[in-house]
Amino acid sequence: MNIVWNKTSEQFHLYNDRLSYIIGVAPSGELANLYFGKRIHDRADFSYVLFRMGMPNVVVDADTESYSMELNCQEYPSFGTTDFGAQAFEVEMANGSRISNFVYKSHRISQGKKEIKGLPATYADKTEAMTLEVTLADTLAGMELILYYTIFEGYPVVARHARFKNVGNSKVKLTRALSACLDFPDQNYEWMQFSGAWARERIPEIKKLSTGVTYIDSRRGASSANQNPFVILKRPGTDDFMGEAIGFSFVYSGNFIALADGSTHGRLRFVMGINPDRFCWPLEKDECFETPEVVIAMTDRGLNDLSQTYHKLYNNHLVRGKWKNTPRPILNNNWEATYMDFTEESILKIASKAKDAGIELFVLDDGWFGERNDDFAGLGDWVENPKKLPQGMAGLSRKINALGLKFGFWIEPEMVNPNSNLYRRHPDWVLSVPGRKSSLGRHQLVLDFSREEVVDYIYGMLHKVIKGSKIDYIKWDMNRALTEVFSVDTPAERQGMVAHKYVLGVYSLYSRLIKAFPNILFESCSSGGNRFDAGMLYYAPQAWCSDNSDAIDRIRIQYGTSFGYPIVSIGSHVSAVPNQQTGRVTPLDIRANVAYFGTFGYELDLNEISDEEFELVKKQVEFMKENRALVQFGDFYRLRSPFENDQAAWMVVSEDKKKAIVGFYCLRSNVNALPGFLKLAGLDPDKEYRMEGKTYYGDELMNMGITLSEFYDRGFTISKDYDSFVTIIEEV
Ligand code: GLA
């Protein structure tokens, strides 16, 4: 890894073993992108790639009369001079002008990576990364702009963000401040997004790019289940096993855009950042605005390789604290077992059975506080309901601990029910527009987390409950979109800051709780997977992936999620049948075979299943205990897509390639069809492996594949709906 500055040509070359990122000071003084892609040799001057010929109807820089931003790849383009594509930022000056001209001023190259204050971001020490900071100045605007680039050792990754500072004497407004732009010389790419809604999150969708704009966004306050802040641009033909692709992952949990703009001259631009819609950030003298980070990763080896890059990078350089690279406890959550209708006694009964099954952690979900007996009341009143918990959380946690289980509970700190003491006392603490009605979501309003006093108050209440008990885990939920985004505490010209300040408030509450209770494992949740993003992973190393716990739907949801997020971050549980979201009845083994590929746990009352099933549950728990380190942290390969087949398969391989675990699922029976073969990946071709009592070479398993009919001995066939197997492959 290195960052080279060539003073004569005024060019930077960031490179490691796998990629090169080359940036130059353009003839206009702005920054141009000279190359992004597979590692190439360094040279003193790459300016030959700049296009400096006249073209009809193209405007050029007034000083050079030959350079046009529009015809060259930009680093962080503005609109209004010689570029007409999607802009990375916009500054409105005091006189109303929105034209800017940020030119190279200075730079700094350093080892490691600095944190971004108040925001989640990847981190690295001095040996693990290098960072380039390029300072650009617009003297007329009195503004400085720093573009940050971090290159990591051993990862085909560059992390980018930007920082604006008002160094002049007049007020300016930032009306758009995206995190990154990457321009490509051609448009032969497919765009892959991960879309959905409640209970069907992160379903991959692919479209071919051409001229014009393709974009996704969130304006819901959270990153959303509708569009995930992760996009892949891939060459047509690139699949999980081969081909080029570039990923863009936004380390942020609020409103965002991801946009590709194909110019009619043949260039392609990709930009990503905070959604500029309704965003406006005034900057007084000496004030700064720092954007969140975009993590750009590339591959020339297919999408499994791209995903593995994100998995490893996020496990090693985003997730922090005690739970970094630590296998996760197997838990039992009472939500689908009881909903809010429980007593301490009924909870202890479920927990005690969980203990018998070998489960390690019990989680008390919604309903333990205030008047929370249904969706209509109690949010905001983070005090135990004595009818349900006579000795409070402290009493219950003691009893659960006495059973030999760790204990955790559910919170939804950003919300308030109109029917709550908190709302009655502080009706102005919600996001709402005076004089207008406030929309409800699940009968609740959103607290104004852009205000410090609101965050302080919630912190105080939660701190008290947590401190009084022995708490190992917290599930942090967020169950509605933000609407009527207005803060009564904020002056008119600062209302455009509220949505982002809300997210900063959420991050600050997380930071304070993590600081106070560093050993707690946080699991984020937002009506399932409505806020499953890289920003959250910085605070909560795992996320409840979806409220849809049906095994068949979960294969799709977890498969889609695996493109951008580590397997260990995917909250996945076995739940009861008929499934409460889909009504589908699936065997207990497929429910576990799917849930293994994530955090693993149970979302049901184990007292309600048969003795025979209970014996199976014990075996499942044992299996996961033995194999979770490999499943959660091994190299994950998608093998067969549930979006293109009636079957799905995936596998994990240990780093030393000595052990692998394969999961195979039959979503829909294929009557009278040959079972066929399943080609594996990631093994050592020369190693001999044992699978189901027989031995095979790695190359046999990867090139010929597993003979699926071999599993018919175990009762598995592909002509049975919901049949599945998980098998271990070990070096002989
Ligand atoms: C959300 C979560 C569920 C559960 C409920 C509790 O829907 O996604 O897992 O915690 O809230 O109200």
Side-chain angles (χ1 to χ4, degrees), residues 209-466:
L209 293 177
S210 65
T211 62
V213 166
T214 301
Y215 93 114
I216 54 163
D217 76 345
S218 167
R219 301 195 296 167
R220 294 165 190 269
S223 48
S224 91
N226 308 74
Q227 301 294 357
N228 193 264
F230 174 60
V231 168
I232 296 173
L233 299 186
K234 67 184 193 74
R235 292 295 190 184
T238 292
D239 61 19
D240 277 330
F241 304 98
M242 50 160 271
E244 290 177 18
I246 299 143
F248 299 88
S249 172
F250 194 27
V251 189
Y252 186 65
S253 312
N255 295 334
F256 74 94
I257 58 164
L259 183 152
D261 184 3
S263 87
T264 50
H265 293 110
R267 228 187 40 194
L268 181 73
R269 169 166 298 164
F270 181 88
V271 292
M272 189 178 232
I274 291 180
N275 199 326
D277 193 12
R278 313 276 166 113
F279 169 88
C280 179
W281 202 274
L283 288 178
E284 311 256 351
K285 187 174 164 36
D286 294 330
E287 278 184 348
C288 293
F289 179 81
E290 200 153 11
T291 73
E293 165 171 286
V294 168
V295 175
I296 306 170
M298 57 86 74
T299 184
D300 57 342
R301 307 170 189 172
L303 299 179
N304 277 323
D305 179 65
L306 188 76
S307 299
Q308 286 169 13
T309 295
Y310 280 109
H311 296 178
K312 285 190 196 137
L313 186 82
Y314 287 170
N315 285 337
N316 293 311
H317 296 281
L318 183 65
V319 168
R320 301 168 298 164
K322 174 176 169 185
W323 294 98
K324 173 176 174 174
N325 288 322
T326 306
R328 302 299 155 74
I330 298 172
L331 68 82
N332 191 172
N333 177 306
N334 71 305
W335 178 241
E336 290 194 15
T338 64
Y339 294 105
M340 297 182 209
D341 185 15
F342 59 80
T343 58
E344 190 185 75
E345 203 190 331
S346 66
I347 289 298
L348 286 170
K349 200 169 155 221
I350 300 173
S352 150
K353 192 75 177 175
K355 174 65 193 170
D356 293 346
I359 286 169
E360 299 157 317
L361 163 71
F362 185 83
V363 178
L364 178 64
D365 211 280
D366 194 357
W368 56 266
F369 50 89
E371 292 296 313
R372 186 75 168 168
N373 297 312
D374 53 35
D375 288 358
F376 291 85
L379 284 176
D381 299 337
W382 301 107
V383 179
E384 299 93 323
N385 175 347
K387 285 189 207 120
K388 291 183 186 169
L389 304 183
Q391 290 149 343
M393 201 61 89
L396 179 62
S397 69
R398 251 194 326 272
K399 289 173 196 165
I400 301 259
N401 288 163
L403 291 173
L405 288 165
K406 293 184 184 309
F407 177 66
F409 63 90
W410 178 98
I411 56 175
E412 194 179 359
E414 299 151 70
M415 301 291 158
V416 66
N417 285 112
N419 182 7
S420 67
N421 293 334
L422 178 63
Y423 186 73
R424 282 184 282 273
R425 227 175 298 134
H426 296 287
D428 62 327
W429 274 15
V430 297
L431 293 173
S432 73
V433 185
R436 295 203 182 276
K437 61 182 178 188
S438 294
S439 312
L440 291 168
R442 208 190 181 198
H443 321 292
Q444 65 201 46
L445 298 167
V446 184
L447 287 172
D448 183 357
F449 263 42
S450 75
R451 289 168 69 172
E452 259 176 54
E453 63 194 307
V454 177
V455 176
D456 276 354
Y457 180 86
I458 296 295
Y459 173 77
M461 292 201 96
L462 293 175
H463 187 272
K464 206 166 153 199
V465 189
I466 300 172

Side-chain angles (χ1 to χ4, degrees), residues 111-116 119-131 150-153 155 157 159 161 251 293 295 311-326 328 534-535 537-539 541:
Q111 301 290 328
K113 186 172 190 287
K114 277 199 292 205
E115 63 178 309
I116 312 179
L119 283 169
T122 54
Y123 58 85
D125 71 22
K126 291 199 160 118
T127 60
E128 295 169 328
M130 285 179 79
T131 299
T150 296
I151 183 154
F152 293 81
E153 179 69 43
Y155 295 89
V157 165
H161 81 282
V251 189
E293 165 171 286
V295 175
H311 296 178
K312 285 190 196 137
L313 186 82
Y314 287 170
N315 285 337
N316 293 311
H317 296 281
L318 183 65
V319 168
R320 301 168 298 164
K322 174 176 169 185
W323 294 98
K324 173 176 174 174
N325 288 322
T326 306
R328 302 299 155 74
L537 290 184
Y538 186 67
Y539 305 96

